PDB file of all heavy atoms in Angstrom:
ATOM      1  N   VAL A  28      89.860  33.049 109.745  1.00 93.00           N
ATOM      2  CA  VAL A  28      89.892  33.448 111.154  1.00 93.00           C
ATOM      3  C   VAL A  28      90.107  34.953 111.268  1.00 93.00           C
ATOM      4  O   VAL A  28      89.439  35.638 112.058  1.00 93.00           O
ATOM      5  CB  VAL A  28      91.002  32.682 111.906  1.00 93.00           C
ATOM      6  CG1 VAL A  28      91.174  33.235 113.316  1.00 93.00           C
ATOM      7  CG2 VAL A  28      90.678  31.200 111.959  1.00 93.00           C
ATOM      8  N   PHE A  29      91.033  35.474 110.487  1.00 95.00           N
ATOM      9  CA  PHE A  29      91.299  36.917 110.522  1.00 95.00           C
ATOM     10  C   PHE A  29      90.050  37.708 110.154  1.00 95.00           C
ATOM     11  O   PHE A  29      89.715  38.707 110.794  1.00 95.00           O
ATOM     12  CB  PHE A  29      92.444  37.255 109.574  1.00 95.00           C
ATOM     13  CG  PHE A  29      92.744  38.728 109.485  1.00 95.00           C
ATOM     14  CD1 PHE A  29      93.548  39.342 110.433  1.00 95.00           C
ATOM     15  CD2 PHE A  29      92.198  39.510 108.469  1.00 95.00           C
ATOM     16  CE1 PHE A  29      93.812  40.710 110.367  1.00 95.00           C
ATOM     17  CE2 PHE A  29      92.450  40.869 108.387  1.00 95.00           C
ATOM     18  CZ  PHE A  29      93.258  41.467 109.343  1.00 95.00           C
ATOM     19  N   ALA A  30      89.329  37.273 109.100  1.00 94.00           N
ATOM     20  CA  ALA A  30      88.139  37.997 108.654  1.00 94.00           C
ATOM     21  C   ALA A  30      87.049  37.976 109.716  1.00 94.00           C
ATOM     22  O   ALA A  30      86.408  38.994 109.984  1.00 94.00           O
ATOM     23  CB  ALA A  30      87.625  37.389 107.352  1.00 94.00           C
ATOM     24  N   CYS A  31      86.834  36.816 110.339  1.00 95.00           N
ATOM     25  CA  CYS A  31      85.806  36.706 111.380  1.00 95.00           C
ATOM     26  C   CYS A  31      86.160  37.580 112.580  1.00 95.00           C
ATOM     27  O   CYS A  31      85.297  38.293 113.126  1.00 95.00           O
ATOM     28  CB  CYS A  31      85.647  35.254 111.822  1.00 95.00           C
ATOM     29  SG  CYS A  31      84.912  34.164 110.575  1.00 95.00           S
ATOM     30  N   MET A  32      87.407  37.544 113.006  1.00 96.00           N
ATOM     31  CA  MET A  32      87.830  38.360 114.137  1.00 96.00           C
ATOM     32  C   MET A  32      87.773  39.844 113.795  1.00 96.00           C
ATOM     33  O   MET A  32      87.420  40.678 114.654  1.00 96.00           O
ATOM     34  CB  MET A  32      89.244  37.963 114.573  1.00 96.00           C
ATOM     35  CG  MET A  32      89.319  36.633 115.299  1.00 96.00           C
ATOM     36  SD  MET A  32      90.987  36.280 115.926  1.00 96.00           S
ATOM     37  CE  MET A  32      91.290  37.715 116.951  1.00 96.00           C
ATOM     38  N   LEU A  33      88.106  40.195 112.564  1.00 96.00           N
ATOM     39  CA  LEU A  33      88.078  41.602 112.166  1.00 96.00           C
ATOM     40  C   LEU A  33      86.654  42.155 112.239  1.00 96.00           C
ATOM     41  O   LEU A  33      86.431  43.261 112.754  1.00 96.00           O
ATOM     42  CB  LEU A  33      88.628  41.751 110.750  1.00 96.00           C
ATOM     43  CG  LEU A  33      88.703  43.185 110.218  1.00 96.00           C
ATOM     44  CD1 LEU A  33      89.672  44.012 111.047  1.00 96.00           C
ATOM     45  CD2 LEU A  33      89.117  43.191 108.740  1.00 96.00           C
ATOM     46  N   VAL A  34      85.681  41.377 111.755  1.00 96.00           N
ATOM     47  CA  VAL A  34      84.287  41.826 111.812  1.00 96.00           C
ATOM     48  C   VAL A  34      83.833  41.961 113.258  1.00 96.00           C
ATOM     49  O   VAL A  34      83.173  42.939 113.635  1.00 96.00           O
ATOM     50  CB  VAL A  34      83.382  40.850 111.042  1.00 96.00           C
ATOM     51  CG1 VAL A  34      81.909  41.162 111.294  1.00 96.00           C
ATOM     52  CG2 VAL A  34      83.676  40.923 109.545  1.00 96.00           C
ATOM     53  N   ARG A  35      84.182  40.979 114.093  1.00 96.00           N
ATOM     54  CA  ARG A  35      83.810  41.047 115.506  1.00 96.00           C
ATOM     55  C   ARG A  35      84.407  42.288 116.171  1.00 96.00           C
ATOM     56  O   ARG A  35      83.731  43.004 116.921  1.00 96.00           O
ATOM     57  CB  ARG A  35      84.288  39.783 116.230  1.00 96.00           C
ATOM     58  CG  ARG A  35      83.455  38.547 115.964  1.00 96.00           C
ATOM     59  CD  ARG A  35      84.136  37.287 116.483  1.00 96.00           C
ATOM     60  NE  ARG A  35      84.371  37.331 117.921  1.00 96.00           N
ATOM     61  CZ  ARG A  35      83.514  36.883 118.835  1.00 96.00           C
ATOM     62  NH1 ARG A  35      82.350  36.377 118.473  1.00 96.00           N
ATOM     63  NH2 ARG A  35      83.822  36.922 120.123  1.00 96.00           N
ATOM     64  N   MET A  36      85.682  42.565 115.902  1.00 96.00           N
ATOM     65  CA  MET A  36      86.338  43.723 116.505  1.00 96.00           C
ATOM     66  C   MET A  36      85.724  45.033 116.023  1.00 96.00           C
ATOM     67  O   MET A  36      85.477  45.937 116.817  1.00 96.00           O
ATOM     68  CB  MET A  36      87.841  43.699 116.201  1.00 96.00           C
ATOM     69  CG  MET A  36      88.615  42.668 116.981  1.00 96.00           C
ATOM     70  SD  MET A  36      90.409  42.840 116.764  1.00 96.00           S
ATOM     71  CE  MET A  36      90.598  42.445 115.027  1.00 96.00           C
ATOM     72  N   MET A  37      85.474  45.139 114.710  1.00 95.00           N
ATOM     73  CA  MET A  37      84.962  46.386 114.159  1.00 95.00           C
ATOM     74  C   MET A  37      83.564  46.696 114.689  1.00 95.00           C
ATOM     75  O   MET A  37      83.251  47.849 115.013  1.00 95.00           O
ATOM     76  CB  MET A  37      84.940  46.314 112.634  1.00 95.00           C
ATOM     77  CG  MET A  37      86.312  46.230 111.970  1.00 95.00           C
ATOM     78  SD  MET A  37      87.394  47.653 112.331  1.00 95.00           S
ATOM     79  CE  MET A  37      88.429  46.980 113.648  1.00 95.00           C
ATOM     80  N   LEU A  38      82.704  45.689 114.787  1.00 95.00           N
ATOM     81  CA  LEU A  38      81.342  45.911 115.284  1.00 95.00           C
ATOM     82  C   LEU A  38      81.338  46.153 116.786  1.00 95.00           C
ATOM     83  O   LEU A  38      80.653  47.053 117.286  1.00 95.00           O
ATOM     84  CB  LEU A  38      80.459  44.708 114.938  1.00 95.00           C
ATOM     85  CG  LEU A  38      80.221  44.460 113.445  1.00 95.00           C
ATOM     86  CD1 LEU A  38      79.370  43.209 113.251  1.00 95.00           C
ATOM     87  CD2 LEU A  38      79.560  45.658 112.790  1.00 95.00           C
ATOM     88  N   PHE A  39      82.099  45.365 117.518  1.00 96.00           N
ATOM     89  CA  PHE A  39      82.142  45.479 118.977  1.00 96.00           C
ATOM     90  C   PHE A  39      82.679  46.837 119.407  1.00 96.00           C
ATOM     91  O   PHE A  39      82.215  47.427 120.396  1.00 96.00           O
ATOM     92  CB  PHE A  39      83.011  44.356 119.535  1.00 96.00           C
ATOM     93  CG  PHE A  39      83.071  44.288 121.031  1.00 96.00           C
ATOM     94  CD1 PHE A  39      82.036  43.745 121.762  1.00 96.00           C
ATOM     95  CD2 PHE A  39      84.179  44.770 121.724  1.00 96.00           C
ATOM     96  CE1 PHE A  39      82.083  43.683 123.147  1.00 96.00           C
ATOM     97  CE2 PHE A  39      84.244  44.710 123.103  1.00 96.00           C
ATOM     98  CZ  PHE A  39      83.189  44.160 123.814  1.00 96.00           C
ATOM     99  N   SER A  40      83.651  47.365 118.662  1.00 96.00           N
ATOM    100  CA  SER A  40      84.315  48.622 119.058  1.00 96.00           C
ATOM    101  C   SER A  40      83.471  49.857 118.797  1.00 96.00           C
ATOM    102  O   SER A  40      83.856  50.962 119.184  1.00 96.00           O
ATOM    103  CB  SER A  40      85.655  48.758 118.333  1.00 96.00           C
ATOM    104  OG  SER A  40      85.465  48.876 116.931  1.00 96.00           O
ATOM    105  N   GLU A  41      82.308  49.708 118.143  1.00 95.00           N
ATOM    106  CA  GLU A  41      81.472  50.858 117.830  1.00 95.00           C
ATOM    107  C   GLU A  41      80.645  51.333 119.030  1.00 95.00           C
ATOM    108  O   GLU A  41      80.130  52.451 119.020  1.00 95.00           O
ATOM    109  CB  GLU A  41      80.517  50.507 116.677  1.00 95.00           C
ATOM    110  CG  GLU A  41      81.178  50.467 115.316  1.00 95.00           C
ATOM    111  CD  GLU A  41      81.674  51.847 114.897  1.00 95.00           C
ATOM    112  OE1 GLU A  41      80.846  52.721 114.616  1.00 95.00           O
ATOM    113  OE2 GLU A  41      82.914  52.042 114.889  1.00 95.00           O
ATOM    114  N   ALA A  42      80.498  50.512 120.045  1.00 95.00           N
ATOM    115  CA  ALA A  42      79.691  50.886 121.208  1.00 95.00           C
ATOM    116  C   ALA A  42      80.437  51.902 122.074  1.00 95.00           C
ATOM    117  O   ALA A  42      81.667  52.046 121.991  1.00 95.00           O
ATOM    118  CB  ALA A  42      79.343  49.650 122.031  1.00 95.00           C
ATOM    119  N   ARG A  43      79.681  52.631 122.894  1.00 95.00           N
ATOM    120  CA  ARG A  43      80.251  53.558 123.863  1.00 95.00           C
ATOM    121  C   ARG A  43      79.706  53.233 125.245  1.00 95.00           C
ATOM    122  O   ARG A  43      78.690  52.568 125.392  1.00 95.00           O
ATOM    123  CB  ARG A  43      79.893  55.009 123.500  1.00 95.00           C
ATOM    124  CG  ARG A  43      80.507  55.477 122.202  1.00 95.00           C
ATOM    125  CD  ARG A  43      80.218  56.947 121.929  1.00 95.00           C
ATOM    126  NE  ARG A  43      78.790  57.191 121.757  1.00 95.00           N
ATOM    127  CZ  ARG A  43      78.069  57.963 122.550  1.00 95.00           C
ATOM    128  NH1 ARG A  43      78.632  58.547 123.610  1.00 95.00           N
ATOM    129  NH2 ARG A  43      76.792  58.164 122.326  1.00 95.00           N
ATOM    130  N   PHE A  44      80.411  53.690 126.263  1.00 96.00           N
ATOM    131  CA  PHE A  44      79.983  53.465 127.646  1.00 96.00           C
ATOM    132  C   PHE A  44      79.078  54.599 128.110  1.00 96.00           C
ATOM    133  O   PHE A  44      79.301  55.765 127.785  1.00 96.00           O
ATOM    134  CB  PHE A  44      81.193  53.367 128.576  1.00 96.00           C
ATOM    135  CG  PHE A  44      81.965  52.089 128.457  1.00 96.00           C
ATOM    136  CD1 PHE A  44      83.107  52.022 127.665  1.00 96.00           C
ATOM    137  CD2 PHE A  44      81.553  50.955 129.140  1.00 96.00           C
ATOM    138  CE1 PHE A  44      83.830  50.856 127.557  1.00 96.00           C
ATOM    139  CE2 PHE A  44      82.276  49.771 129.031  1.00 96.00           C
ATOM    140  CZ  PHE A  44      83.408  49.722 128.240  1.00 96.00           C
ATOM    141  N   GLN A  45      78.047  54.240 128.868  1.00 96.00           N
ATOM    142  CA  GLN A  45      77.166  55.200 129.513  1.00 96.00           C
ATOM    143  C   GLN A  45      76.706  54.583 130.843  1.00 96.00           C
ATOM    144  O   GLN A  45      76.905  53.390 131.084  1.00 96.00           O
ATOM    145  CB  GLN A  45      75.934  55.496 128.646  1.00 96.00           C
ATOM    146  CG  GLN A  45      76.237  56.340 127.406  1.00 96.00           C
ATOM    147  CD  GLN A  45      76.292  57.821 127.704  1.00 96.00           C
ATOM    148  OE1 GLN A  45      75.291  58.516 127.696  1.00 96.00           O
ATOM    149  NE2 GLN A  45      77.495  58.319 127.987  1.00 96.00           N
ATOM    150  N   PHE A  46      76.111  55.396 131.682  1.00 96.00           N
ATOM    151  CA  PHE A  46      75.429  54.871 132.861  1.00 96.00           C
ATOM    152  C   PHE A  46      73.951  54.731 132.515  1.00 96.00           C
ATOM    153  O   PHE A  46      73.394  55.535 131.758  1.00 96.00           O
ATOM    154  CB  PHE A  46      75.602  55.807 134.056  1.00 96.00           C
ATOM    155  CG  PHE A  46      77.002  55.847 134.592  1.00 96.00           C
ATOM    156  CD1 PHE A  46      77.732  57.036 134.597  1.00 96.00           C
ATOM    157  CD2 PHE A  46      77.615  54.703 135.077  1.00 96.00           C
ATOM    158  CE1 PHE A  46      79.020  57.083 135.078  1.00 96.00           C
ATOM    159  CE2 PHE A  46      78.912  54.736 135.555  1.00 96.00           C
ATOM    160  CZ  PHE A  46      79.618  55.924 135.557  1.00 96.00           C
ATOM    161  N   ARG A  47      73.322  53.701 133.067  1.00 95.00           N
ATOM    162  CA  ARG A  47      71.894  53.495 132.844  1.00 95.00           C
ATOM    163  C   ARG A  47      71.159  53.588 134.173  1.00 95.00           C
ATOM    164  O   ARG A  47      71.471  52.855 135.112  1.00 95.00           O
ATOM    165  CB  ARG A  47      71.630  52.129 132.191  1.00 95.00           C
ATOM    166  CG  ARG A  47      70.183  51.908 131.822  1.00 95.00           C
ATOM    167  CD  ARG A  47      70.000  50.663 130.990  1.00 95.00           C
ATOM    168  NE  ARG A  47      70.200  49.437 131.752  1.00 95.00           N
ATOM    169  CZ  ARG A  47      69.920  48.213 131.298  1.00 95.00           C
ATOM    170  NH1 ARG A  47      69.461  48.057 130.064  1.00 95.00           N
ATOM    171  NH2 ARG A  47      70.124  47.145 132.047  1.00 95.00           N
ATOM    172  N   ARG A  48      70.194  54.485 134.226  1.00 93.00           N
ATOM    173  CA  ARG A  48      69.432  54.685 135.457  1.00 93.00           C
ATOM    174  C   ARG A  48      68.444  53.537 135.649  1.00 93.00           C
ATOM    175  O   ARG A  48      67.834  53.060 134.684  1.00 93.00           O
ATOM    176  CB  ARG A  48      68.691  56.022 135.406  1.00 93.00           C
ATOM    177  CG  ARG A  48      68.339  56.573 136.779  1.00 93.00           C
ATOM    178  CD  ARG A  48      67.668  57.937 136.654  1.00 93.00           C
ATOM    179  NE  ARG A  48      68.457  58.902 135.902  1.00 93.00           N
ATOM    180  CZ  ARG A  48      69.484  59.570 136.415  1.00 93.00           C
ATOM    181  NH1 ARG A  48      69.854  59.359 137.670  1.00 93.00           N
ATOM    182  NH2 ARG A  48      70.150  60.440 135.675  1.00 93.00           N
ATOM    183  N   LEU A  49      68.302  53.094 136.891  1.00 91.00           N
ATOM    184  CA  LEU A  49      67.366  52.029 137.235  1.00 91.00           C
ATOM    185  C   LEU A  49      66.239  52.604 138.078  1.00 91.00           C
ATOM    186  O   LEU A  49      66.487  53.293 139.070  1.00 91.00           O
ATOM    187  CB  LEU A  49      68.070  50.902 137.996  1.00 91.00           C
ATOM    188  CG  LEU A  49      69.197  50.185 137.250  1.00 91.00           C
ATOM    189  CD1 LEU A  49      69.886  49.185 138.158  1.00 91.00           C
ATOM    190  CD2 LEU A  49      68.668  49.491 136.005  1.00 91.00           C
ATOM    191  N   LYS A  50      65.004  52.331 137.684  1.00 83.00           N
ATOM    192  CA  LYS A  50      63.840  52.828 138.394  1.00 83.00           C
ATOM    193  C   LYS A  50      62.900  51.664 138.665  1.00 83.00           C
ATOM    194  O   LYS A  50      62.384  51.049 137.735  1.00 83.00           O
ATOM    195  CB  LYS A  50      63.124  53.907 137.573  1.00 83.00           C
ATOM    196  CG  LYS A  50      61.930  54.522 138.277  1.00 83.00           C
ATOM    197  CD  LYS A  50      61.290  55.599 137.411  1.00 83.00           C
ATOM    198  CE  LYS A  50      60.095  56.225 138.102  1.00 83.00           C
ATOM    199  NZ  LYS A  50      59.451  57.259 137.247  1.00 83.00           N
ATOM    200  N   ASP A  51      62.713  51.348 139.944  1.00 79.00           N
ATOM    201  CA  ASP A  51      61.892  50.210 140.345  1.00 79.00           C
ATOM    202  C   ASP A  51      62.367  48.918 139.680  1.00 79.00           C
ATOM    203  O   ASP A  51      61.569  48.064 139.284  1.00 79.00           O
ATOM    204  CB  ASP A  51      60.419  50.455 139.988  1.00 79.00           C
ATOM    205  CG  ASP A  51      59.839  51.653 140.726  1.00 79.00           C
ATOM    206  OD1 ASP A  51      60.291  51.918 141.857  1.00 79.00           O
ATOM    207  OD2 ASP A  51      58.942  52.322 140.164  1.00 79.00           O
ATOM    208  N   GLY A  52      63.690  48.787 139.558  1.00 81.00           N
ATOM    209  CA  GLY A  52      64.254  47.585 138.959  1.00 81.00           C
ATOM    210  C   GLY A  52      64.204  47.547 137.451  1.00 81.00           C
ATOM    211  O   GLY A  52      64.677  46.577 136.840  1.00 81.00           O
ATOM    212  N   ARG A  53      63.659  48.558 136.819  1.00 83.00           N
ATOM    213  CA  ARG A  53      63.549  48.620 135.368  1.00 83.00           C
ATOM    214  C   ARG A  53      64.567  49.600 134.803  1.00 83.00           C
ATOM    215  O   ARG A  53      64.844  50.638 135.406  1.00 83.00           O
ATOM    216  CB  ARG A  53      62.140  49.065 134.952  1.00 83.00           C
ATOM    217  CG  ARG A  53      61.038  48.094 135.330  1.00 83.00           C
ATOM    218  CD  ARG A  53      61.019  46.903 134.403  1.00 83.00           C
ATOM    219  NE  ARG A  53      60.811  47.309 133.020  1.00 83.00           N
ATOM    220  CZ  ARG A  53      60.892  46.481 131.972  1.00 83.00           C
ATOM    221  NH1 ARG A  53      61.215  45.217 132.168  1.00 83.00           N
ATOM    222  NH2 ARG A  53      60.678  46.921 130.758  1.00 83.00           N
ATOM    223  N   PRO A  54      65.155  49.287 133.625  1.00 87.00           N
ATOM    224  CA  PRO A  54      66.142  50.193 133.029  1.00 87.00           C
ATOM    225  C   PRO A  54      65.506  51.479 132.554  1.00 87.00           C
ATOM    226  O   PRO A  54      64.370  51.487 132.057  1.00 87.00           O
ATOM    227  CB  PRO A  54      66.705  49.378 131.852  1.00 87.00           C
ATOM    228  CG  PRO A  54      65.642  48.387 131.532  1.00 87.00           C
ATOM    229  CD  PRO A  54      64.980  48.055 132.831  1.00 87.00           C
ATOM    230  N   GLY A  55      66.231  52.582 132.723  1.00 86.00           N
ATOM    231  CA  GLY A  55      65.738  53.888 132.314  1.00 86.00           C
ATOM    232  C   GLY A  55      66.675  54.571 131.358  1.00 86.00           C
ATOM    233  O   GLY A  55      67.322  53.924 130.522  1.00 86.00           O
ATOM    234  N   GLU A  56      66.814  55.872 131.502  1.00 90.00           N
ATOM    235  CA  GLU A  56      67.589  56.683 130.568  1.00 90.00           C
ATOM    236  C   GLU A  56      69.089  56.442 130.715  1.00 90.00           C
ATOM    237  O   GLU A  56      69.587  56.031 131.758  1.00 90.00           O
ATOM    238  CB  GLU A  56      67.290  58.159 130.806  1.00 90.00           C
ATOM    239  CG  GLU A  56      67.715  58.633 132.194  1.00 90.00           C
ATOM    240  CD  GLU A  56      67.524  60.125 132.372  1.00 90.00           C
ATOM    241  OE1 GLU A  56      67.449  60.826 131.361  1.00 90.00           O
ATOM    242  OE2 GLU A  56      67.466  60.577 133.527  1.00 90.00           O
ATOM    243  N   LEU A  57      69.815  56.709 129.620  1.00 93.00           N
ATOM    244  CA  LEU A  57      71.274  56.656 129.617  1.00 93.00           C
ATOM    245  C   LEU A  57      71.819  58.061 129.867  1.00 93.00           C
ATOM    246  O   LEU A  57      71.281  59.047 129.366  1.00 93.00           O
ATOM    247  CB  LEU A  57      71.788  56.131 128.279  1.00 93.00           C
ATOM    248  CG  LEU A  57      71.398  54.701 127.892  1.00 93.00           C
ATOM    249  CD1 LEU A  57      71.884  54.387 126.481  1.00 93.00           C
ATOM    250  CD2 LEU A  57      71.959  53.689 128.880  1.00 93.00           C
TER     251      LEU A  57
END
């Protein structure tokens, strides 16, 4: 359980927050 949670935490924590522009309902630049 510890190993599975550790991998999930390490991978999940690598992302960063940005805003994503929407144009005609389609995703655009960050």
Side-chain angles (χ1 to χ4, degrees):
V28 172
F29 177 83
C31 291
M32 287 185 57
L33 182 64
V34 170
R35 284 169 60 91
M36 286 188 294
M37 294 300 99
L38 295 178
F39 184 78
S40 64
E41 285 294 290
R43 295 184 296 117
F44 286 97
Q45 288 277 273
F46 291 119
R47 185 171 71 171
R48 203 177 305 281
L49 299 175
K50 183 179 180 181
D51 297 329
R53 295 284 301 173
E56 63 175 339
L57 297 175

